[in-house]
Each structure stands twice: as C-alpha cells, then as structure tokens.
Amino acid sequence: MPASRTVVGVDGCRAGWVCAYYSPDGFAIRVVSDFQSVWDDAHDRDVNLVLVDVPIGLPTSERRACDVEARTRLGSRASTVFFAPVRDVLDVSSHEQASARNRDRTGAGLSIQAWNLVPKIRAVDSVLQSTPCARERIREAHPELAFAAFAGEPLAESKSTVEGRERRLDVLQRVAPDDDPRGVYRDTLADTLRRDVARDDIIDALALAVAATYPLVTLPESPPSDATGLPMAIHVPQTSKKCASINL
C-alpha cells in the first residue's frame, strides 16, 4: 500500500532511535539519539502518525491484555513480545528492584529483556506526559505483528538470522514494491555502523512505517487506559476486510 501521507516507523537502537519516514516520495531513514528529537521532527514535518515499538500505556497491577493477545496471535514467535512493566518500575535504578516491584504488583517478576527496554519506555513516556498533542499521533505497535499481518501468518524465522532478515525484506518488498525497501535497507547499512544500528532495527522501523499506511486495529479491540490516560493497546495493520479499523 503506497504512502499517501507522511508517516514514521520508529524502533530503538543502540545509538537511540531508527526513524523510517514513509511519504509519497518513498522512504527516508534518520537515526537520532533521543525520543524528544523523534517527536520534534515529526511535529515539524507535520507527520500524520508515528508507530513505535515500545510499550506506551503501562499497567498498575496486572499484565496488559494487549501483550497477552499479541503473544497468542504470534504463536511460536510469542517470545518476541515482552510483558510491559508496571508504571512504578520507571523510577527504579536496577533490574533487581524493578523485578521485585513488578512481582509485588502483578505476581510476576520482570525479565531482563523487559528491563533493558525501560530507558526507552521512560523516554517515550516523558514525551507523552509532557506533550498532550503527541498522544494524538504516537501509537504503540510491534514489528512481528505487522509482518504477520502482511504475510498472513507469523514469520517462523528469527529476525536475528540471515534467513529471517531475507524473509522479512521479501515481505516488505511485496507490500511496498514501488518504494524499494530492500534498496533502502542496503543504503542504510552502508550509511550506519552496526555498533549503532543493528540490521533488524532497520527492518523493524521499515515494517512499522509500512504498517502506518494501513488502517489499524487494536489489541484488545476495546483497550483500557492506564493511570495517566494512555491506551494500553498494540496497533496492528488491517489487511483483511473482516477486521474493523479505528479512526486516526
């Protein structure tokens, strides 16, 4: 589905954030160090929608329904969805403290993978709490759910393997053939260092950019809000008329 408006897919990386802009002119990749810059640039460019692979609405006392549904939908790839931490974890400084606090609130500890996401979660949350208008355009999404929607099934191959990356690039090339995502991927590899931006970071950002051009559905269908009013929802591209889309 070609882009008829400017949208952005955003994925975290070691250097900060990979931003895949998708407009009627095609793709453009930008790497920035902080999420405030992601939002400032999106606002300045009048970007219609920002899809980011970071939990946004955070629970207080139980696991999010969207994470449970996402894991069920992905089947054998369920482990790619980490359960979001409770909001009270954002102000602790160690994995041990975070896991204990999460266990106290939900009955389950916090995985090290989820803990490693906390700085990114904190960065996105800071923008959303301080900038009300950002809430209208920044939405949570997950690359593996996007790929599953594009392919009609979860992709069995891990994105950390050559085979998995090639499969994902093939899927992107099929859904955005006129804009050469494979060529954009190659150019971005040449322009960045692997110590700053991993190969799958680029692919994930491109997937979310393409997803942002589709009507979106939410997991769950009627998402609850967290204590600060942020929706606890993962947005998925609608590729079947059997799904009801949400208005953006």
Side-chain angles (χ1 to χ4, degrees):
M1 180 178 291
S4 60
R5 55 189 181 171
T6 301
V7 295
V8 188
V10 182
D11 193 58
C13 66
R14 296 183 192 94
W17 304 88
V18 182
C19 303
Y21 292 84
Y22 195 18
S23 72
D25 295 327
F27 292 106
I29 303 290
R30 183 176 181 227
V31 178
V32 298
S33 60
D34 61 281
F35 196 78
Q36 184 65 55
S37 296
V38 174
W39 166 247
D40 289 344
D41 197 43
H43 183 268
D44 291 345
R45 298 189 190 201
D46 197 26
V47 166
N48 185 273
L49 179 64
V50 179
L51 288 187
V52 58
D53 180 20
V54 162
I56 289 180
L58 301 175
T60 56
S61 60
E62 59 187 11
R63 284 176 164 171
R64 303 191 308 172
C66 59
D67 295 334
V68 175
E69 286 196 29
R71 289 171 68 92
T72 298
R73 182 173 289 206
L74 288 175
S76 64
R77 300 295 294 157
S79 62
T80 64
V81 178
F82 305 131
F83 288 108
V86 295
R87 178 165 289 280
D88 284 350
V89 159
L90 296 187
D91 62 0
V92 302
S93 58
S94 73
H95 177 230
E96 183 180 13
Q97 288 178 301
S99 190
R101 188 169 293 188
N102 208 73
R103 185 177 293 107
D104 180 61
R105 304 293 192 274
T106 69
L110 192 69
S111 70
I112 188 64
Q113 294 92 339
W115 167 246
N116 289 336
L117 285 176
V118 167
K120 300 293 189 187
I121 297 172
R122 191 183 292 123
V124 174
D125 189 69
S126 177
V127 170
L128 293 172
Q129 299 301 336
S130 64
T131 316
C133 64
R135 297 184 177 214
E136 300 172 6
R137 285 188 264 178
I138 298 173
R139 307 288 176 90
E140 177 182 346
H142 194 285
E144 290 301 294
L145 288 170
F147 279 118
F150 298 148
E153 62 181 1
L155 302 188
E157 305 88 348
S158 171
K159 66 181 183 180
S160 64
T161 66
V162 173
E163 181 185 21
R165 290 191 293 272
E166 286 300 311
R167 176 80 191 282
R168 284 160 178 77
L169 288 168
D170 286 345
V171 170
L172 288 176
Q173 197 68 37
R174 179 171 57 80
V175 295
D178 295 335
D179 297 301
D180 191 22
R182 186 179 286 276
V184 174
Y185 169 73
R186 287 196 301 265
D187 291 345
T188 306
L189 285 180
D191 292 340
T192 57
L193 299 174
R194 301 292 71 73
R195 70 183 183 216
D196 294 330
V197 181
R199 290 173 173 83
D200 53 277
D201 296 335
I202 304 166
I203 294 173
D204 284 350
L206 287 169
L208 294 185
V210 175
T213 67
Y214 283 76
L216 299 173
V217 295
T218 61
L219 303 180
E221 185 176 354
S222 299
S225 296
D226 74 1
T228 70
L230 293 171
M232 292 188 284
I234 299 176
H235 294 74
V236 183
Q238 176 195 349
T239 57
S240 168
K241 293 183 179 179
K242 293 180 181 178
C243 300
S245 65
I246 64 173
N247 292 321
L248 295 172

